[in-house]
Each structure stands twice: as structure tokens, then as C-alpha cells.
Amino acid sequence: MPDLAALDFTGQYFTGKHVAITGGTSGIGLALAEAFLGAGATVLAGGLETGLDVRSEASLAAWLSSLPHLDVLVNAAGVIRRGEEHLPEVFAEVVDINLNGAMRACQAAKPLLLKSLLGQSSAPAVVNIASMLSFFGSGPAPAYSASKGGLAQLTKSLALSWAPLGIRVNAVAPGWIETPLTAPLREDAAKHEALRARTPMGRWGKPADVTGPVLFLASPLAAFVTGAILPVDGGYLIA
């Protein structure tokens, strides 16, 4: 894996910037928090362990209250309840966290993102963590798939709405990444191997595989990119 902290563009574009990451205490979110820190940003990483609940507007407002402004918001908070999501109450909870939670975070962060425009040469950015399941269904996880499909459409819709304000909104769509959410699949040797073999690049992804694309979308290198959903899946979607 490349040493992202050593790449010139990270320090050039993120030193002194403020970055907030929901779901930033584990998995992909934690890897992103470490990458932005390594690039010189001031990072606010929140999760249930730190008292952040994306189901609550008040919790989000309190979490963001210490920031003078915000240059980058990453929505990485998410849950999956494989095998239980056909139950209406579980379906509703997963969608509320994964999709509604991202919208709540965007709305809570909007005033701070607008503040960062003052005196800045680059646009503030939102990067949502979608999924390859934004593009196709999942029998055991219909709520997760629906929420991630909705997150892709929310990304495009907010990109349209916020472009005149100077805020870019994009998403990455990770494939099979080694995180706590995929631990049950990886612990099943047959499933682990089947998913590895189905991935053209021949391996499961690491959280660090997602950090480069996110930092790119959050940086001025992507200054003319908004509404994009970037797959980070080792080619799984094209196989």
C-alpha cells in the first residue's frame, strides 16, 4: 500500500484543514481518520464509542460544535444486519443510520462547510461512503443495499443542490473490504474464498485501499468533480 502521508498532494492540500468523519472510530472510517491526520488535517472522528449518534440531530450538532468551520465531511457511519433486515423494525433502523444519518450529518455540517468558503481557494467537500451494493441487491441485507442505493442518489441530489453554493458532494463505493462489518463473511472460509475469486484483482480490499480515492475526491485535484460515485472494489462490479 502507498504511504499516503508521504504523497505530496496530501500535505499540500490538507495541512490546516478541518475534517469531520462520522463512523470514524473503526473500519474504513478509522483508516480515513488516520490518513487525513497523516496529511496534516485536524480531524474530528465520531462514533458510538465517542457518543456520536447519527440518528440524532442534537448529537450531530453537539459533535460539530467545537469546529470553527469545516473543509471536509466524510459520512462513513453504517451498520448491516445480515439475515435480520427483512424484519420491518430492523430494516427501518438500518436505513435510518446509513441513509437518514448521512443526510442529517450533511445538514448539520452545511453551515460550517459554507464558512470554510470564506477566504479559501478551494471548495469544501462531502464524501459519502456508499457501497458496491449501491448498484445491485442483496438477499440477506435488503436494508443495507437499499440504504446504500439511496446514499448514491442522495450524493447526486446534494451535488446538484449544493454546486451553486460551492460545495462538492461525491461518494466512493467500496467492494469487499476487510472491516468489522465483513468479519462474519471472512470467518467462513468458503465464502471468503468465493468472494476473493470473484474479484478480478484477486484479493479482498484493505481499509487503506479506500483512503486514496477519498482523499482525492476531498482535495482540489477533484475541483471539477461532483456527483460522482467511484467504485473501489478491485473490479468486482465489472466481472
Side-chain angles (χ1 to χ4, degrees), residues 55-150:
R55 294 170 295 185
S56 165
E57 294 176 17
S59 180
L60 283 160
W63 177 61
L64 293 168
S65 63
S66 65
L67 296 176
H69 65 271
L70 185 61
D71 299 287
V72 180
L73 170 67
V74 179
N75 284 306
V79 297
I80 191 168
R81 302 280 189 263
R82 293 182 188 88
E84 302 176 26
E85 294 183 7
H86 289 270
L87 297 171
E89 64 273 18
V90 177
F91 187 99
E93 178 187 30
V94 171
V95 171
D96 196 31
I97 293 170
N98 294 0
L99 177 56
N100 299 346
M103 181 59 173
R104 290 188 194 99
C106 286
Q107 287 301 112
K110 184 179 178 182
L112 292 170
L113 291 166
L114 290 173
K115 279 187 178 180
S116 77
L117 284 167
L118 301 175
Q120 298 292 322
S121 58
S122 60
V126 175
V127 184
N128 294 320
I129 307 302
S131 169
M132 62 183 174
L133 290 178
S134 298
F135 303 99
F136 53 82
S138 169
Y144 184 86
S145 183
S147 67
K148 292 300 185 177

Side-chain angles (χ1 to χ4, degrees), residues 75 98-107 126 128 147-162 169-171 227 229:
N75 284 306
N98 294 0
L99 177 56
N100 299 346
M103 181 59 173
R104 290 188 194 99
C106 286
Q107 287 301 112
V126 175
N128 294 320
S147 67
K148 292 300 185 177
L151 186 57
Q153 295 304 318
L154 176 63
T155 298
K156 296 174 185 179
S157 298
L158 286 182
L160 284 168
S161 179
W162 288 5
V169 186
N170 292 290
I229 317 294

Side-chain angles (χ1 to χ4, degrees), residues 191-206:
K191 289 182 180 178
H192 181 278
E193 174 55 24
L195 294 171
R196 183 207 64 76
R198 167 76 168 71
T199 301
M201 294 189 73
R203 66 174 177 86
W204 277 63
K206 306 284 187 183

